[in-house]
Amino acid sequence: ETGVTQTPRHLVMGMTNKKSLKCEQHLGHNAMYWYKQSAKKPLELMFVYSLEERVENNSVPSRFSPECPNSSHLFLHLHTLQPEDSALYLCASSHGLASSYEQYFGPGTRLTVT
Amino acid sequence: KQEVTQIPAALSVPEGENLVLNCSFTDSAIYNLQWFRQDPGKGLTSLLLIQSSQREQTSGRLNASLDKSSGRSTLYIAASQPGDSATYLCALGNSGGYQKVTFGIGTKLQVIP
């Protein structure tokens, strides 16, 4: 257990559905991240939040919409996804944004878009 | 732009063997380098973090080294066990105003009993 939980662990959704991924960290960290991990590709950073403010949006399509209501919770709202969005979505947190801080990862949500 | 390469992509060794995983990177202006372990369908578990001013870090049977001048890091696993079977990723924390981490694709390790 890393102190970062994600729900659901598995999700199958159609291209017209709307769903949300949830991440919660119990470590008292101030920064949270969403990553996408596709087969045979390195992890791609999607969004970064620091103290509930978004500081990074790596050209992610608008069908992915993040929300950070407080420093412990992070959501990723999904709508009208494409099959190529099928991947493992990982949430991470760290004490702060400086590169000297370790990131702690959750177990991920395996998303399949049909 | 930082690029991270991990070779080999997959490795199979008999139990008890010592082994080395390699990570190379193109931009030596890094803050740190981290080695992670990922079990199938799971998240990442941090194994070792080396700050840019350090040369190596050790934890149990694991030893990670960092040579910024040559753009290389190695993860040494001593006396491998079947439980070490997983994918090992290296990640570079790059210089910058806030954290940007570049990951390699990983090396998939299988330790055969």
Side-chain angles (χ1 to χ4, degrees):
Chain A
E1 286 294 328
T2 63
V4 181
T5 59
Q6 290 187 243
T7 55
R9 295 295 309 277
H10 300 271
L11 177 63
V12 179
M13 59 186 288
M15 290 163 57
T16 58
N17 291 159
K18 286 185 180 181
K19 297 285 184 184
S20 295
L21 310 184
K22 179 182 176 183
C23 174
E24 182 173 1
Q25 57 97 359
H26 310 274
L27 302 168
H29 289 168
N30 292 320
M32 296 186 77
Y33 312 78
W34 279 117
Y35 286 90
K36 175 183 179 183
Q37 187 177 34
S38 304
K40 301 196 176 174
K41 290 175 126 180
L43 266 74
E44 301 170 51
L45 180 64
M46 300 175 72
F47 300 104
V48 180
Y49 275 82
S50 174
L51 296 171
E52 299 129 55
E53 286 195 24
R54 189 191 307 181
V55 296
E56 178 82 7
N57 176 352
N58 266 356
S59 303
V60 178
S62 59
R63 56 185 183 270
F64 295 91
S65 174
E67 179 190 2
C68 188
N70 55 63
S71 59
S72 298
H73 293 86
L74 185 65
F75 295 89
L76 188 62
H77 303 299
L78 316 170
H79 65 97
T80 46
L81 294 190
Q82 304 297 311
E84 60 265 28
D85 297 322
S86 298
L88 183 67
Y89 288 85
L90 293 163
C91 171
S93 70
S94 61
H95 271 295
L97 289 177
S99 293
S100 57
Y101 294 116
E102 283 183 67
Q103 291 191 21
Y104 293 79
F105 284 79
T109 295
R110 172 67 63 184
L111 172 67
T112 303
V113 181
T114 60
Chain B
K1 180 187 170 187
Q2 180 72 273
E3 292 184 9
V4 181
T5 303
Q6 290 188 248
I7 294 173
L11 181 64
S12 184
V13 301
E15 181 178 2
E17 192 163 296
N18 302 327
L19 60 100
V20 175
L21 306 180
N22 297 294
C23 173
S24 61
F25 48 94
T26 55
D27 184 353
S28 61
I30 64 170
Y31 268 28
N32 58 31
L33 184 145
Q34 196 165 358
W35 281 94
F36 291 91
R37 168 190 173 132
Q38 185 174 29
D39 292 285
K42 303 282 182 66
L44 279 63
T45 301
S46 178
L47 298 173
L48 291 163
L49 171 68
I50 311 176
Q51 301 294 349
S52 64
S53 58
Q54 299 174 318
R55 297 281 294 184
E56 65 177 337
Q57 282 285 342
T58 298
S59 176
R61 294 182 293 108
L62 306 179
N63 176 276
S65 68
L66 173 62
D67 183 346
K68 287 197 304 178
S69 62
S70 65
R72 291 190 59 198
S73 174
T74 61
L75 178 66
Y76 175 82
I77 302 177
S80 57
Q81 302 171 358
D84 294 330
S85 299
T87 297
Y88 291 81
L89 296 94
C90 72
L92 284 299
N94 298 308
S95 302
Y98 57 88
Q99 185 168 100
K100 287 199 175 203
V101 182
T102 305
F103 286 81
I105 293 179
T107 293
K108 186 174 182 179
L109 172 65
Q110 182 182 23
V111 180
I112 303 167

